Amino acid sequence: MTFKKVLLFSFLLIFFISSPYSGYSQSKQFTISGKVIDDALNVPLEYATIAITRPNDPKFLDGGVTDINGEFSIKVPPGVYNITIEFISYTSQNFKNKTVESDLDLGTIKLGISSSSLDEVVVRAETTQVEVRLDKKIYNIGKDLTTKGGTVSDALSNVPSVAVDVEGAISLRGNENVRVLINGKPSAMAGFGSTNVLGQLPADAIDRVEVITSPSARYDAEGTAGIINIILRKEKTLGFNGSVTANIGNPDDYGVTVNANLRKDKYNLFTTTGFNYSNAPGNAFFDTQYFNGTFDRVIENRDYDRLRRGFNTNLGMEYYITDMSSLTASVFYRLGNNSDVTKNYTNRFIDNELVVQTLRKEFESEDDNSYQFALNYVNKFDEKGHKLTADFQYEYDKEKQPSLISEDITFSDDAQNIGFLADEETNSIEKQNEYLIQVDYVRPIGEDSQFEAGYRGNFENQITDYTLRQQDPESLQLLVNDTLTNIFDYTENVNALYTQYGTKFGDFSFLLGLRLENTQLKGKIDSQLSDEEITESFGFPIDTDFDNNYLGLFPTVNLIYEIAKTENITLGYNRRINRPRGWFINPFPSRSSRTNVFQGNPNLAPAYSSAFDLGYLKRWEKLTLTSSVYYQYETDAFERVQQGTGEFIDGIEIIRTIPINLGTNERIGAEAGVLYNPAKWLRLNGSINFFQFKTEGDFNGIDYGAKNNSWFGRFSSKVSLPAKIDWQTNAFYRGAQENSQTKTDGIFSLDVALSKEIFNENATLSLNARDLLNSRKRSSVTTTDRFIQESEFQWRQRQITLSLTYRFNQKKNQQRKRENNNAGDDGGDFEG
């Protein structure tokens, strides 16, 4: 605790040292007036900010904002003033040393979109609404009709370069080793590294999504595929405004989300609060042929009934200490109450004759309670980008997962004695604590260069307390299984220092960075089993009390060459790390099936990768093309392998899945995206990604090397119909894939949506259908030396949702204007 207190004290000290207070002058005699417009579109800019200061009096500050016509009028006492006109993502206009001895009319002031600087190249237009930077692409989720009433996972599934599989696992360019951040930081909102929570948070909470395929040194080195950064909504419009979204769907899906903010001169209060209730039925099928054992074929049919009830709120306040510094505090709270019922109908065959049929039922509930407290301090030393930021964040999460498993014989030919089918009761209590402290310093050098440096520390502890009770065949009582009951204490501490330098000369820009990270992975298993017994269950030595440290350097290079204002080439290089999460290390098996189990591997070490990315962008009047080729080489790559254990239950061999450091993974790919706007009423876009990966390595004498080609593609169209109706169609196809053991068929899904403006454009009514054809199913074949298994899995069936969004104190056109001009708030219409 002493170290944590020191970190907190340091953060507060930085805040108090660098936060001078300034007051407001109330004296007003003469009027400063003018009108602010967009220099390209010649339209008024509402809510542009006018800041008025005295050069010789740093405590004097006055100002205001423009009205709906872009006009402003501010009274000040006589004197000499500096006047700054600002609008988010636009280049500011400055009027220095203006003498005011009578009314001053500044006339029409034209602001242009901020031009390229150092690490970014912004591509904007009224039709594309997209921002492409040197190391990232930014997509606006709010304009996607098919995500209305959906979850964050639904929203991510429509982002180019990103794919979400049927179980909610997120991949970037076909690689699942992706880091998911919330507002640039690891967060309880993303489930402490797991993405399961994203399937329960409303999509309406998202402002934009940043896809970072070539992260600079300022980002955590975690995630060999790159980073997906989810930015939550936080309005900055003066006054009180917001929106309320309610949805109802089939299968049962109900939810309400409120986004609101109250902005005054000195502070901004904002919140996103939502409640959701859903019932998500799913199903699975497994057909396994065994080469040895009592039964030569086993067929399983599973039905899943998942009930999800959740409440979440994000409440924050940004306080403007001075015109150059601010402090933001926010609290996120999530409460989940879920229950699952799984029915597994199992048919066992000998020589194609059904001999035994059983019904296995699993009742599982999950109570999840998590909260996050965050502080952010920003101090600007000038208007040119010289600033210091500091962040402190604490997160806590507690999950309780009790379950009851029973299995009964529904048919038997009496010739087979499969023994006593004992009931089982499990209880898992998982607690997680995480601290984050971060300090970043940015210093521009001249007009075209910039220096950055910073520190980030992540300190995370996870304790899993697992209890298994099994029915005694004689007393029929549930007794504790001492050998499988365990407590797993896992700690991950990461300390990092980084520095980077960027500059621009002529048509070239580059950003060079270096990050030093130390990773400490500690784990201790408290169990009745001895180390020898755990090792025997794996077949190789297992360390049950480990403390491993990994020190690594992670260089990054990002280059850009501007061929023209509408054409550029980018080149990126970065080194990344993939750290194993707790459930990948916990060696005690899952109990969802007697014969198919998953076990973590305490010996798992981090994987490292080096990646190159070459991109090309070209814009025409109505057409935008983006493309890139990429290459990645990964060492100690994670691979999940299935093995027969040699152990049998009721004549069926237990199949175990474990993660291992296989060896190397070489990946090469190419992607392209096209956005075409042939008319104001029609928007078309599509993207395609081809990739090949080659793995090499063996485990326990078995060669798991494989080579595979695959691809995925998207197409979307948005049509504006008469009567203020919009129609959107999204199609997605993921090609077949193959690794050393499993071949997976391609998956196709189709989403459609209609929306209609009502109540004088103060509200939007939307109807959407996700997976309209009910085709989002994963079919695969796994082949080993002991069995062949065919399977089909559908996590969630077709969903139809009716959604109503009501906006208060903001018209739709005003909302769009703010969306178009929020930094990074650009439409997700093509892939980079």
Side-chain angles (χ1 to χ4, degrees), residues 575-586:
R575 186 171 186 257
R576 311 284 295 166
I577 184 175
N578 185 27
R579 306 181 187 95
R581 307 303 299 177
W583 71 285
F584 254 41
I585 291 180
N586 191 340

Side-chain angles (χ1 to χ4, degrees), residues 741-752:
Q741 293 183 319
T742 303
K743 295 181 180 180
T744 304
D745 294 340
I747 299 175
F748 175 78
S749 63
L750 181 69
D751 302 338
V752 296

Side-chain angles (χ1 to χ4, degrees), residues 213-390:
T213 52
S214 183
S216 66
R218 73 165 67 95
Y219 291 103
D220 185 1
E222 170 74 21
T224 55
I227 295 172
I228 297 174
N229 186 23
I230 300 170
I231 308 297
L232 301 182
R233 287 190 177 185
K234 185 179 72 172
E235 287 279 359
K236 289 194 173 185
T237 306
L238 283 179
F240 178 65
N241 57 83
S243 63
V244 179
T245 299
N247 61 273
I248 181 172
N250 182 273
D252 291 346
D253 184 15
Y254 311 99
V256 177
T257 302
V258 177
N259 291 289
N261 83 287
L262 174 63
R263 170 71 187 273
K264 298 295 185 181
D265 289 336
K266 293 291 290 181
Y267 65 86
N268 182 36
L269 291 171
F270 55 90
T271 184
T272 298
T273 300
F275 170 80
N276 66 286
Y277 173 97
S278 65
N279 189 0
N283 58 83
F285 170 80
F286 301 87
D287 185 351
T288 308
Q289 298 184 48
Y290 294 91
F291 302 148
N292 49 41
T294 302
F295 304 102
D296 49 35
R297 187 180 184 188
V298 176
I299 297 177
E300 299 178 56
N301 284 282
R302 298 182 189 176
D303 291 326
Y304 303 95
D305 190 6
R306 306 181 188 88
L307 186 62
R308 299 288 183 263
R309 290 161 291 197
F311 169 81
N312 61 86
T313 184
N314 183 35
L315 176 65
M317 176 175 138
E318 184 173 8
Y319 179 70
Y320 305 99
I321 305 165
T322 72
D323 60 326
M324 303 293 282
S325 62
S326 66
L327 179 67
T328 302
S330 64
V331 177
F332 171 79
Y333 176 72
R334 176 169 55 86
L335 179 64
N337 184 3
N338 306 326
S339 61
D340 295 348
V341 178
T342 303
K343 296 180 181 179
N344 189 351
Y345 300 87
T346 303
N347 297 310
R348 311 178 191 193
F349 298 84
I350 297 177
D351 296 329
N352 291 324
E353 292 288 335
L354 177 65
V355 292
V356 177
Q357 183 181 70
T358 62
L359 172 59
R360 177 184 174 91
K361 297 180 181 180
E362 180 176 0
F363 303 88
E364 182 181 55
S365 62
E366 178 182 330
D367 291 325
D368 189 0
N369 190 349
S370 64
Y371 59 85
Q372 170 186 296
F373 173 71
L375 280 174
N376 168 257
Y377 172 67
V378 178
N379 186 73
K380 298 179 181 179
F381 299 101
D382 57 34
E383 296 289 351
K384 298 180 180 179
H386 185 197
K387 65 179 180 178
L388 173 72
T389 62

Side-chain angles (χ1 to χ4, degrees), residues 30 39 69 100 155 217 244 256 305 333-334 338 353 383 428 467 478 491-492 500 587 635 645 652 781 796 822:
F30 298 116
D39 69 345
N69 298 314
V100 178
V244 179
V256 177
D305 190 6
Y333 176 72
R334 176 169 55 86
N338 306 326
E353 292 288 335
E383 296 289 351
S428 177
T467 303
L478 290 171
T491 297
E492 177 183 298
Q500 62 184 18
T635 57
T645 61
I652 303 176
V781 177
R796 186 177 68 180
N822 276 336

Side-chain angles (χ1 to χ4, degrees), residues 56 88 104 131 190 289 334 343 369 517 577 593 738 800:
N56 57 354
I88 299 172
L104 175 63
E131 185 173 347
Q289 298 184 48
R334 176 169 55 86
K343 296 180 181 179
N369 190 349
E517 284 195 355
I577 184 175
S593 171
E738 181 178 354
I800 299 176

